[in-house]
Amino acid sequence: MRERARIDDVVSSYVTLRNAGGGSMKGLCPFHDEKSPSFHVTPSRGFFHCFGCQEGGDVISFLMKIDGLAFSEAVEHLADKYGVQLRREDGDDGPQRPRGPARGRLLEAHRVAQEFYADQLSRPDALAGRQFLSDRGFDQAAAEMFGVGFAPREGEALTTLLRQKGFSQEEMVASGLVAVGRSAYDRFRGRLLWPIRESNGDTVGFGARRLFDDDRVEAKYLNTSETAIYKKSQVLYGLDLARKEIARSSQAVIVEGYTDVMACHLSGVTTAVATCGTAFGDDHARVLRRFLDDRGGLRGEVIFTFDGDAAGQKAALRAFNGDQNFVSQTYVAVEPSGMDPCDLRLAKGDEAVRALVAERTPLYRFVLSNIVSRYDLDRADGRVDAMREAARLVASVRDRSKVDAFAREVAAMVGMDVDEVRAQVKRAEKWGNEKPAAGRDGRRGNERTQRDAAPAAPAAPPRAPMPALRDPRFSIERETLKLVLQHPQLVQRSLEPVTPDDFTHPAYRAVWEAVVAHGGPSAGAADPGWATGVRAALENPFVSAAFAELAVEPVRSAGEPTEAYMFAHAYRLRELTLLRRTAALKSRLQRTDPSSAEYLQLSSELWTLEQRRRELADKAVGA
């Protein structure tokens, strides 16, 4: 048996192997998690060995380890595959296998079921299934290529067939193909079926699509329950068809459904796979990574396709948090109108599906863009808030080598200095260490350990308190309002161009708005009781307290303030506003394509603002 079954041929069904020289081959070990290949196979000797986890042996022990087979089951599997006839001797029972039906019997039951379901698709009562496929652009050849089948509606057809083939009720139930109530009955009834296969082509489960309104199970898709051979977190639909091309091109495309896999493969994207009724997780990444190859240091690609809606953005965030599972670069491909690959192929043809994958975007840029897009980047506070949220996400990345690159990307997106972003990321990291996130993943509604859960972004710090009234940043605003309240007769002409936007402290802005609401400084010059009326209109205690300080604190002029002194403050106040607008324009320029017409327009506006600012600065000095 060992002579007939070449170990490199068997192992290649589970691992992508490359020549390592000296008659040896190497790949990523399937028995432990690694990013650099340490798993070696020597075909001439028929042995494998991993220098990372120390697993080793021959072709039989490899199958026993990777598929959980007993010795006799591994031998039978190889005999079936390579056409070797086995001869049993009396009393030769072999090693004791685990309890429950043998893995080989469960796989055989699925082989029988898959052939049965595929044959049923051509029957008259499967018309609804054929129509479903036709409506989505799949003909008979496509159905045969993917092994699509139909489960009869009567409910005991497969059960009867399996009994005739010699399967016990224990084996049928353990396989997940048959359930038991008052009697045994087919698990799938009146549904379109996709066989879910391991990378070596063995069918281990089915995905079933609802076709009829009277189906008692309301779920649109019903998958095989987990069994000894089917673990949904460890299988990828279409991997049996895609694995060779994934290894050749070092690219994998992750889509969301069975029909999307079909559409991609038929369109020429033959590296497409999909999860089976669950989100893409760490175990899926480990399975997929065994078939990706770094191709001599040129890293491969993992491309996720998501809907453009909120659910798709959440899926992208989960994928981003698991990005470190891959040595390969991760990307996302989203069709602008929200169509999935199957709908896109129907609407625009095969070329559109290929273009969707070709026009992929780096995953981190997609996720960060979604965060940044929720803020108004033309406002200083919007840019700061966007930077803070994006920095919290960057701080949650486990692969520290990527943090600085992500920080630079955030700086470019938001239009802020990269050092500011780096500092914010460090603050977010510190906050995250002080306030570790809980281990419950509320999005999926189930308990997960902190190790397995995708790392959530650290919680936001509490809202900052009101800035101090005497903060030097607001000194011009404070001095200007002191002049307004104490010497309104000096400021009637100088403050005509001033607006509430010239005041950045919330309390000072509120005081100015109350002044304007009561007729402005000109009313104060004519009415001695004017200031009292302004204060009475202030309902916020903090603003009232600020007003009281402004009304009595001496101005900073060397002697009695003059109109020139007031004009100097008014010019400086407006100059600071222009400086803020200039910073906002520079931020927009940083986020704009230099070759666009918008860039030229913004540059012109920036030049105009700079000229006005210089004029005001000159007036402030000469006043």
Side-chain angles (χ1 to χ4, degrees):
M1 179 62 66
R2 293 181 176 89
E3 291 73 21
R4 292 288 296 274
R6 287 181 54 88
I7 191 169
D8 52 327
D9 182 41
V10 174
V11 173
S12 292
S13 295
Y14 300 86
V15 179
T16 293
L17 296 175
R18 298 284 177 184
N19 287 327
S24 179
M25 307 181 79
K26 68 177 180 179
L28 293 172
C29 180
F31 304 124
H32 81 286
D33 197 20
E34 64 177 4
K35 293 186 178 181
S36 297
S38 58
F39 179 85
H40 286 249
V41 174
T42 308
S44 61
R45 297 177 57 202
F47 286 103
F48 74 92
H49 180 78
C50 176
F51 291 93
C53 67
Q54 305 306 312
E55 285 288 345
D58 60 14
V59 65
I60 296 176
S61 57
F62 176 83
L63 276 182
M64 291 173 63
K65 175 71 176 178
I66 198 165
D67 284 336
L69 302 178
F71 177 84
S72 59
E73 292 175 316
V75 171
E76 289 173 356
H77 176 90
L78 292 173
D80 289 341
K81 181 173 182 178
Y82 291 96
V84 176
Q85 185 173 1
L86 295 178
R87 184 178 60 189
R88 296 184 180 276
E89 296 183 3
D90 294 339
D92 182 15
D93 295 330
Q96 184 67 33
R97 65 174 176 83
R99 293 181 180 180
R103 174 183 173 87
R105 291 291 289 169
L106 302 183
L107 292 174
E108 177 63 15
H110 276 82
R111 185 192 65 77
V112 171
Q114 195 276 318
E115 292 179 355
F116 171 74
Y117 289 140
D119 179 67
Q120 293 296 311
L121 186 61
S122 62
R123 302 298 174 88
D125 59 347
L127 176 61
R130 296 194 297 274
Q131 188 64 50
F132 176 92
L133 293 172
S134 177
D135 290 346
R136 284 154 182 78
F138 305 126
D139 57 15
Q140 181 180 348
E144 291 175 356
M145 174 181 175
F146 292 92
V148 183
F150 176 76
R153 302 189 70 182
E154 58 263 30
E156 295 182 2
L158 179 63
T159 302
T160 300
L161 176 64
L162 290 174
R163 281 201 188 105
Q164 293 172 353
K165 295 286 186 179
F167 289 93
S168 67
Q169 183 163 300
E170 179 190 13
E171 291 171 333
M172 291 189 291
V173 173
S175 70
L177 297 169
V178 172
V180 178
R182 294 181 179 177
S183 61
Y185 60 91
D186 296 354
R187 164 79 169 165
F188 303 112
R189 290 157 289 173
R191 289 196 170 223
L192 194 64
L193 297 176
W194 285 264
I196 300 169
R197 296 169 173 141
E198 290 186 326
S199 58
N200 63 2
D202 288 338
T203 300
V204 294
F206 290 92
R209 211 285 185 183
R210 191 173 191 262
L211 294 174
F212 303 103
D213 293 337
D214 60 353
D215 193 327
R216 294 182 180 180
V217 181
E218 294 185 0
K220 182 182 292 186
Y221 282 93
L222 179 66
N223 289 352
T224 296
S225 300
E226 295 214 345
T227 66
I229 62 172
Y230 175 73
K231 308 293 182 186
K232 63 183 179 182
S233 65
Q234 299 174 10
V235 293
L236 289 165
Y237 176 73
L239 185 57
D240 58 308
L241 298 175
R243 65 181 183 86
K244 289 184 179 179
E245 185 61 21
I246 288 174
R248 188 196 67 79
S249 65
S250 200
Q251 179 195 83
V253 178
I254 316 299
V255 298
E256 294 191 330
Y258 306 125
T259 57
D260 292 331
V261 171
M262 295 176 70
C264 283
H265 279 257
L266 294 173
S267 297
V269 182
T270 54
T271 59
V273 295
T275 59
C276 302
T278 185
F280 190 90
D282 290 352
D283 288 339
H284 294 118
R286 293 187 187 101
V287 171
L288 185 61
R289 200 168 62 224
R290 297 204 305 260
F291 297 94
L292 288 165
D293 179 59
D294 66 7
R295 303 185 66 78
L298 299 174
R299 302 307 186 190
E301 299 178 349
V302 177
I303 304 170
F304 295 90
T305 64
F306 300 114
D307 292 337
D309 57 13
Q313 292 182 21
K314 287 183 179 179
L317 180 59
R318 284 195 298 269
F320 177 82
N321 286 328
D323 174 73
Q324 301 81 283
N325 287 318
F326 296 104
V327 175
S328 307
Q329 299 297 313
T330 48
Y331 296 84
V332 61
V334 176
E335 206 281 326
S337 63
M339 287 188 288
D340 58 33
C342 182
D343 291 335
L344 181 61
R345 178 172 178 261
L346 272 177
K348 300 182 180 180
D350 294 347
E351 178 59 34
V353 178
R354 294 193 293 270
L356 172 67
V357 175
E359 295 167 5
R360 60 204 178 278
T361 300
L363 177 61
Y364 70 89
R365 185 174 298 160
F366 176 79
V367 174
L368 292 175
S369 294
N370 280 331
I371 290 175
V372 171
S373 67
R374 298 198 292 268
Y375 296 91
D376 183 357
L377 300 183
D378 292 331
R379 293 171 53 95
D381 58 342
R383 292 193 294 275
V384 171
D385 290 342
M387 177 188 68
R388 285 175 177 167
E389 184 174 351
R392 290 197 294 273
L393 182 70
V394 172
S396 73
V397 174
R398 289 174 291 186
D399 187 344
R400 308 316 297 165
S401 66
K402 298 180 180 179
V403 169
D404 191 65
F406 290 164
R408 291 196 300 271
E409 194 77 14
V410 171
M413 289 179 176
V414 177
M416 298 186 71
D417 186 79
V418 67
D419 289 335
E420 291 184 74
V421 178
R422 288 182 180 130
Q424 187 63 42
V425 170
K426 289 182 179 178
R427 285 193 288 271
E429 289 172 349
K430 180 180 178 182
W431 183 267
N433 291 333
E434 293 173 355
K435 303 282 186 178
R440 173 180 288 272
D441 184 349
R443 289 185 303 246
R444 293 178 60 183
N446 63 332
E447 291 282 353
R448 302 169 70 192
T449 64
Q450 190 67 22
R451 178 183 63 82
D452 292 332
R463 185 181 295 275
M466 185 78 75
L469 290 170
R470 296 179 184 276
D471 189 315
R473 292 176 297 166
F474 312 109
S475 59
I476 296 296
E477 298 176 28
R478 184 179 182 86
E479 192 67 10
T480 301
L481 288 175
K482 284 160 53 178
L483 290 164
V484 169
L485 297 179
Q486 297 177 35
H487 304 279
Q489 69 280 359
L490 296 177
V491 302
Q492 296 182 51
R493 290 187 302 111
S494 61
L495 291 184
E496 287 179 359
V498 172
T499 71
D501 289 338
D502 294 317
F503 296 91
T504 58
H505 193 294
Y508 294 155
R509 181 185 179 110
V511 170
W512 175 252
E513 289 175 339
V515 166
V516 173
H518 282 75
S522 58
D527 181 6
W530 170 78
T532 302
V534 173
R535 181 174 185 179
L538 300 175
E539 298 180 356
N540 187 299
F542 186 86
V543 177
S544 295
F547 181 95
E549 291 184 15
L550 296 168
V552 300
E553 182 180 285
V555 295
R556 294 184 299 181
S557 61
E560 189 70 16
T562 64
E563 189 174 42
Y565 183 80
M566 183 62 234
F567 266 107
H569 280 77
Y571 291 145
R572 181 58 178 158
L573 186 69
R574 291 163 57 200
E575 181 191 5
L576 291 174
T577 299
L578 288 177
L579 280 172
R580 291 192 296 272
R581 291 179 59 189
T582 298
L585 268 179
K586 287 181 178 178
S587 174
R588 287 184 62 187
L589 273 172
Q590 189 173 338
R591 308 189 308 269
T592 303
D593 181 358
S595 63
S596 66
E598 181 185 7
Y599 189 90
L600 294 176
Q601 179 184 349
L602 291 174
S603 298
S604 176
E605 291 179 15
L606 182 62
W607 184 86
T608 302
L609 279 178
E610 288 283 6
Q611 291 297 107
R612 290 175 58 190
R613 186 191 65 78
R614 291 193 184 97
E615 292 172 5
L616 284 172
D618 292 342
K619 289 181 179 180
V621 172

